[in-house]
Amino acid sequence: MTFSPARARSATSMLIVLASAFALSQAFRTVGAMMATPLSQHFGLTAQALGLWAGTFHFMFGATQLAMGVAIDMYGVRRTVLTAFPLAIVGAVLCALAPSFHGLLLGQAMIGVGCAPAFLACTVFIARHFEAARFTAMSGLVMSLAGLGILFTGTPLALLIEAASWRAGYACLAGFAVLSWGFVFWRVHEPPHAQATQRQTLGQAVRELLPLFAMPHTLGLLCFACVSYAAFITLRGLWLGPVLHDRHGLSLVSSGNVALVMTVAGMISPALFGRLDPGGARRGRWLMGCASAAAIMFALMAFTQSLAVDIGLPILYGLLSGYSVLQYSYTRAAYPAAMTGRALSLLNMAMFLGVSLMQWTTGVAASWAATNGVEPFRAVFLTIALMLAAGTTAFLLLPRAHERTGAIAAGR
């Protein structure tokens, strides 16, 4: 396949348009940091209900990843995004107008399904329309553009909520989502040969995942994947705003400023870890070391109750959070080439279902603490620390892939 400069420019512009939908997905998954407090006040929500609200998006997002992958193979990137993304728009409108908590949950579920193909569509588009040597660079471009969505849910969203209401935040995101859908409809087009020639059913896709579970290192990787990314999103996307507001009395805008700085640190971090990637078996040790450091940070936040700690450690954790990008390199090296796509799909599912589980679990822990005379955020951060420790311990004790795993599995 030849890649002319004109074709590359056209593909790049289409990729940027697709990345706008991914940016909206990032914004929707992190609104909780600024919306949790006003939502609690408006609906009288418990911490457990907040965890359920935040986790609903990620549960639906993770649960539909495999189906979205099959849809992209069968119908292409453009049609899959254009069909699914309107659910996110309708869900955001429903949340903006929600008369009750149940309406809010339904809206969150619809947003999760609507956003499910956003990142996968970008990665498939890059694989189909760019040289293999440019895959990492173009993926980095997409991740950087998507970071704009998380930036919006810091100070800008806090200012909007203070000036209007949390409903205005959802309405604004719905408007941006309409613009993104329109640009995808107008600008993104795929030649017929870009779609898979051999179409696969959902049942076939599920059956193809089964051989992964027969490999001894899969279980440990999934246990780790369930907690690594989840810890970052649970803090940045749900509890950061409430802890700064309720524990320390910071205003919503001040909390948004902290979230903004943490987000910028989190945007820099993946590129840093990409450059520092040690390769081979050392990746596993780096993953465990970084996750252990993160668990210690959460334990410190649980027990110190210091404003300096609750501002400084999230920012430091933002710089550390990019270690999760090493999971993708680890996974690619851990399985033969023929299984890489399925392994990465399974990794994504584990990561996002893990976010849902952690957000719900921390909500339960906070509600239990409130009824038993324990400071709620102590319970939240200890729960995150313990879940990180459990996932890291499972990764340590269960069989791990080493430098030679991919070669052995491939029969070399």
Side-chain angles (χ1 to χ4, degrees):
M1 184 183 296
T2 59
F3 295 89
S4 67
R7 179 181 172 185
R9 287 193 297 272
S10 175
T12 299
S13 67
M14 286 190 280
L15 179 62
I16 291 172
V17 171
L18 285 172
S20 69
F22 182 34
L24 266 298
S25 172
Q26 295 284 68
F28 280 120
R29 76 167 48 113
T30 54
V31 294
M34 296 301 108
M35 286 193 181
T37 297
L39 281 175
S40 297
Q41 295 169 347
H42 185 88
F43 290 113
L45 302 181
T46 64
Q48 182 175 346
L50 278 177
L52 177 61
W53 163 72
T56 296
F57 171 96
H58 294 96
F59 178 80
M60 298 305 296
F61 187 102
T64 54
Q65 282 297 292
L66 188 59
M68 292 300 173
V70 171
I72 287 173
D73 283 342
M74 292 183 67
Y75 305 111
V77 166
R78 182 179 190 270
R79 283 197 283 178
T80 301
V81 173
L82 289 178
T83 301
F85 207 52
L87 289 174
I89 298 170
V90 174
V93 172
L94 180 57
C95 286
L97 302 175
S100 67
F101 179 60
H102 292 95
L104 200 65
L105 286 182
L106 177 59
Q108 281 284 91
M110 294 178 69
I111 294 170
V113 176
C115 290
F119 176 61
L120 191 58
C122 291
T123 56
V124 171
F125 187 88
I126 293 169
R128 290 177 179 174
H129 294 275
F130 294 90
E131 303 97 321
R134 297 188 66 193
F135 184 87
T136 301
M138 300 313 295
S139 297
L141 172 65
V142 168
M143 294 298 293
S144 297
L145 291 173
L148 297 175
I150 307 179
L151 285 177
F152 173 78
T153 60
T155 307
L157 181 60
L159 289 168
L160 179 60
I161 292 173
E162 284 209 340
S165 71
W166 61 268
R167 295 184 187 275
Y170 270 119
C172 184
L173 287 173
F176 284 137
V178 170
L179 289 175
S180 176
W181 186 93
F183 277 116
V184 172
F185 180 82
W186 170 55
R187 191 67 189 88
V188 177
H189 299 281
E190 293 180 290
H193 67 266
Q195 298 179 25
T197 56
Q198 184 176 359
R199 294 185 171 183
Q200 183 184 51
T201 67
L202 182 59
Q204 290 172 330
V206 171
R207 286 193 294 272
E208 286 191 355
L209 290 178
L210 296 180
L212 295 175
F213 291 97
M215 304 186 76
H217 54 272
T218 296
L219 181 57
L221 176 61
L222 293 182
C223 289
F224 187 83
C226 280
V227 298
S228 55
Y229 180 65
F232 175 79
I233 290 295
T234 299
L235 175 60
R236 172 57 184 86
L238 178 58
W239 296 113
L240 182 62
V243 74
L244 294 174
H245 180 274
D246 297 345
R247 179 186 268 186
H248 301 293
L250 267 63
S251 68
L252 196 62
V253 174
S254 296
S255 301
N257 293 336
V258 177
L260 186 70
V261 177
M262 180 184 179
T263 300
V264 172
M267 291 171 65
I268 296 170
S269 184
L272 291 177
F273 276 92
R275 287 182 174 273
L276 295 172
D277 183 2
R282 294 177 63 194
R283 283 196 191 108
R285 295 194 290 271
W286 276 46
L287 287 168
M288 289 185 287
C290 291
S292 298
I296 292 171
M297 289 183 187
F298 281 107
L300 287 172
M301 292 176 68
F303 288 109
T304 58
Q305 299 188 40
S306 161
L307 177 60
V309 168
D310 288 346
I311 290 177
L313 285 187
I315 295 171
L316 182 61
Y317 182 43
L319 285 172
L320 179 70
S321 64
Y323 78 87
S324 63
V325 77
L326 298 180
Q327 290 178 105
Y328 290 96
S329 301
Y330 179 93
T331 302
R332 290 185 66 181
Y335 297 91
M339 301 179 76
T340 298
R342 282 170 280 167
L344 291 173
S345 296
L346 188 61
L347 178 71
N348 277 335
M349 289 177 64
M351 290 172 69
F352 288 104
L353 291 176
V355 174
S356 177
L357 175 64
M358 186 176 286
Q359 290 184 331
W360 177 79
T361 303
T362 53
V364 172
S367 290
W368 174 88
T371 58
N372 287 274
V374 179
E375 203 253 349
F377 298 112
R378 174 171 292 181
V380 166
F381 294 138
L382 275 179
T383 299
I384 297 174
L386 289 172
M387 292 181 75
L388 273 170
T392 304
T393 301
F395 191 47
L396 172 66
L397 298 179
L398 291 169
R400 294 196 307 278
H402 296 289
E403 190 170 7
R404 296 177 59 225
T405 301
I408 292 171
R412 296 193 295 272

